[in-house]
Amino acid sequence: MVRDLAARGHEVIAFSRRVPCLPVGSPHQVSHQIWDLRDGPLAKEDRPEHVDAVVHCGAAVRDGGSHARAWVVNVEGTRAVRETFPEARFVHVSSGSVYDPRTPSVAVTEAEAPSHGYVNPYGSTKAAAERYLTADAARDDRGPVVVLRPHAVYGPGDTTLLPRLESAAVGAWLPIPGGGKVRQHLTHVDTLVLAIRAALVADVEPEAAAGRPLVANVADARPVDLHETLELLMFARFRPVQVVGIPIRLANALAWAGERVSRWTGREPRLSRYTISHLAMERTYDLTVLRERLGVDPAPTSLHGAMSW
């Protein structure tokens, strides 16, 4: 996002816990400040002036772990960013995980979340962050809010989805609960960048007047067959595998045991109920708001250049 905005002439300030690799040679200044969201809002003397918009991507994305730790980052961290820049337009990168994990998501609309019955701290705290922003958007002294819900972000720079996929492969096999024979929407990082860019300038007056955020699902143009796409991706990474199915009952039993072990060890479980809910069920999303309100015509899912991701 920083690279895209800088290339388009915007002045960008990046905040993170670690110093990132910033774009070089951009036409406007790109600067960086260290900020750990767990420390709360920035002190007034550390806040940059004249911020027009904020893109909030920071989150604890671990599958499992402490609910309190996820709450501090995903909910209180969101509150900290909003309190630091209360008058700026606030673009919040949420997640498709805010939909009900217990049932398939079949062309779900934005009104069907936040839901209930979340099976890990990530889903429940991302939903809580949305609820906070919905309440906060009703305040007259606040900037407008746009909430984006991407599902399964992939592509260059992926530090989450691809590493987990490759670590799950066992030799020439890739075990997937249910065999991955489901339809899924994926989200190329370029699609997400387009959505964020559009959210920064979109007309949000109807929602702002009603005291609520504009919410949009974000995904590639069409769903894909998950097992075929996973095999193609691994092949493109020069690691050909065959997706093999794990019976759902066995997968759930293994997940139950793994989650309890992770509570003692503090390590992320290799298999969890959250993973099963996102691999063994359909996850497709209605993209009407993305197309008609944000004006984004997403490209189809593409694995071009996957070797260098």
Side-chain angles (χ1 to χ4, degrees):
M1 196 68 244
V2 171
R3 294 187 181 95
D4 181 83
L5 291 175
R8 294 174 184 279
H10 299 284
E11 183 177 353
V12 183
I13 304 169
F15 294 93
S16 65
R17 290 181 297 134
R18 296 178 294 273
V19 177
C21 179
L22 295 174
V24 178
S26 58
H28 286 249
Q29 180 183 5
V30 177
S31 59
H32 176 263
Q33 288 183 225
I34 295 291
W35 185 9
D36 190 325
L37 295 179
R38 295 170 296 184
D39 296 334
L42 281 178
K44 289 186 177 180
E45 60 270 20
D46 294 329
R47 300 179 187 182
E49 297 180 354
H50 311 303
V51 172
D52 300 300
V54 174
V55 179
H56 176 46
C57 304
V61 298
R62 289 188 61 191
D63 182 4
S66 164
H67 186 275
R69 187 175 304 166
W71 183 277
V72 167
V73 177
N74 294 349
V75 183
E76 296 305 323
T78 299
R79 189 191 309 272
V81 179
R82 183 65 162 164
E83 293 293 338
T84 300
F85 306 104
E87 298 177 358
R89 175 177 293 225
F90 196 92
V91 178
H92 177 66
V93 180
S94 186
S95 169
S97 297
V98 298
Y99 292 100
D100 190 339
R102 301 164 298 178
T103 60
S105 302
V106 182
V108 290
T109 64
E110 289 79 3
E112 296 177 56
S115 183
H116 302 280
Y118 298 107
V119 294
N120 75 344
Y122 177 70
S124 62
T125 55
K126 291 296 278 189
E130 284 199 21
R131 292 188 180 102
Y132 157 71
L133 288 172
T134 297
D136 191 75
R139 295 175 55 176
D140 294 335
D141 59 341
R142 301 291 191 168
V145 177
V146 182
V147 174
L148 303 178
R149 295 175 181 161
H151 177 256
V153 179
Y154 70 99
D158 178 12
T159 60
T160 303
L161 191 62
L162 184 58
R164 288 178 177 177
L165 177 64
E166 293 189 321
S167 67
V170 180
W173 290 355
L174 180 61
I176 298 292
K181 297 187 182 300
V182 291
R183 299 280 284 169
Q184 296 256 351
H185 259 125
L186 308 182
T187 309
H188 194 283
V189 66
D190 288 349
T191 300
L192 179 56
V193 166
L194 282 174
I196 293 173
R197 191 198 306 161
L200 291 171
V201 297
D203 177 16
V204 295
E205 184 58 32
E207 286 75 21
R212 55 186 175 84
L214 171 63
V215 184
N217 293 326
V218 180
D220 294 340
R222 295 179 294 276
V224 297
D225 293 317
L226 184 62
H227 70 290
E228 293 180 0
T229 303
L230 293 180
E231 289 182 353
L232 284 172
L233 175 58
M234 295 295 281
F235 182 80
R237 298 277 296 174
F238 294 98
R239 191 176 176 184
V241 298
Q242 179 181 354
V243 170
V244 294
I246 303 175
I248 300 299
R249 284 191 176 183
L250 174 60
N252 279 320
L254 293 172
W256 183 89
E259 288 175 10
R260 276 146 186 78
V261 171
S262 71
R263 292 177 185 176
W264 291 94
T265 63
R267 297 179 180 177
E268 190 169 358
R270 290 181 62 87
L271 182 64
S272 67
R273 291 172 295 162
Y274 173 81
T275 302
I276 295 170
S277 74
H278 279 270
L279 292 176
M281 298 183 192
E282 178 170 334
R283 299 293 171 198
T284 59
Y285 304 88
D286 185 290
L287 302 181
T288 301
V289 176
L290 178 69
R291 291 188 167 107
E292 297 184 0
R293 292 297 308 280
L294 296 185
V296 174
D297 185 17
T301 294
S302 172
L303 304 179
H304 179 71
M307 185 55 205
S308 61
W309 295 350

